Amino acid sequence: MKTDSSCCNCSKPKDPGRRSALKICTGALLGLAAASAHRTHAGEISDARPEIGDFLVRTDAEGGTQPLTISDLAVGDKPILAFPLEPASGAIKSGSRLNKVIVFRVQPEEIDEDMRRNSVEGIVAYSAVCTHQGCDITNYVPKDNALICFCHFSQFKPTHGGEVIGGPAPRRLPVLPLKAENGRLVVAGKFSSKPGATAG
């Protein structure tokens, strides 16, 4: 009776070269699966809203991905646009523009009591998306103490929790509470309200 020896070779490879090839293929497949899972996880983090403990990193080319520190901001400096960064993964939460914040420093004594709890030595952070129609907010005018949206000239008072002081915006600009850890600016809470344009 004829024996089909090739069948045995399929289930129990005896060729060392073949075993090595199988190991390499298996390792490559596991590596691809891990990379895919990592990309999916990173994508989920990128879209997630700021959480307590996140750092803030500036978004312009000069700043790279270094976390913002208290010494990066002085009274009178131009505002910095930043995104949260999850320290554990190093992922920047820039997948949604609703995570962008505008950060700057004012005189601490100008800040009201409620807002003072959400600031660090006069440094405040707000959503950089107007609550009117969702335009970017990039400018702070110190003489008017106003964050201004130049699409429709909505104005918000940053020393008083982002209250509306002009224009068509229907609600306050969301505050992102801050705290300091080893000189770094760290997120201390969620946005005070939903960032972005107001529906309806």
Side-chain angles (χ1 to χ4, degrees):
M1 183 176 180
K2 185 177 178 181
T3 301
D4 185 357
S5 59
S6 63
C7 179
C8 295
N9 288 337
C10 288
S11 58
K12 296 180 179 178
K14 295 178 180 178
D15 180 353
R18 187 176 176 188
R19 280 200 296 270
S20 296
L22 284 173
K23 286 181 180 176
I24 291 171
C25 289
T26 302
L29 288 172
L30 289 173
L32 286 172
S36 177
H38 178 74
R39 283 196 298 272
T40 301
H41 183 58
E44 291 171 353
I45 293 173
S46 175
D47 292 336
R49 291 285 172 264
E51 295 288 344
I52 295 174
D54 285 352
F55 297 149
L56 292 180
V57 293
R58 67 174 70 206
T59 57
D60 59 74
E62 294 178 358
T65 58
Q66 289 298 313
L68 289 178
T69 65
I70 294 173
S71 60
D72 288 329
L73 297 111
V75 176
D77 283 354
K78 288 183 178 179
I80 292 175
L81 296 176
F83 279 101
L85 176 146
E86 186 191 73
S89 64
I92 301 174
K93 297 179 175 177
S94 58
S96 168
R97 63 183 289 269
L98 297 181
N99 287 343
K100 186 187 293 184
V101 293
I102 182 168
V103 189
F104 56 100
R105 193 168 192 166
V106 299
Q107 296 292 352
E109 58 270 22
E110 296 177 355
I111 300 175
D112 72 10
E113 188 174 338
D114 287 341
M115 187 59 200
R116 199 171 297 144
R117 288 194 291 268
N118 297 318
S119 64
V120 175
E121 298 181 21
I123 298 172
V124 296
Y126 283 90
S127 167
V129 180
C130 184
T131 56
H132 177 221
Q133 292 191 357
C135 293
D136 287 342
I137 294 179
T138 58
N139 289 81
Y140 170 63
V141 180
K143 71 180 181 60
D144 298 326
N145 186 22
L147 284 163
I148 299 178
C149 172
F150 285 110
C151 283
H152 304 96
F153 296 101
S154 290
Q155 298 181 35
F156 306 89
K157 196 170 186 178
T159 54
H160 291 67
E163 72 177 71
V164 180
I165 54 175
R171 61 185 176 92
R172 291 172 178 261
L173 201 59
V175 178
L176 186 66
L178 297 178
K179 60 182 179 179
E181 290 183 0
N182 299 320
R184 291 174 174 164
L185 295 175
V186 177
V187 175
K190 297 180 182 296
F191 278 122
S192 59
S193 61
K194 184 178 180 180
T198 303

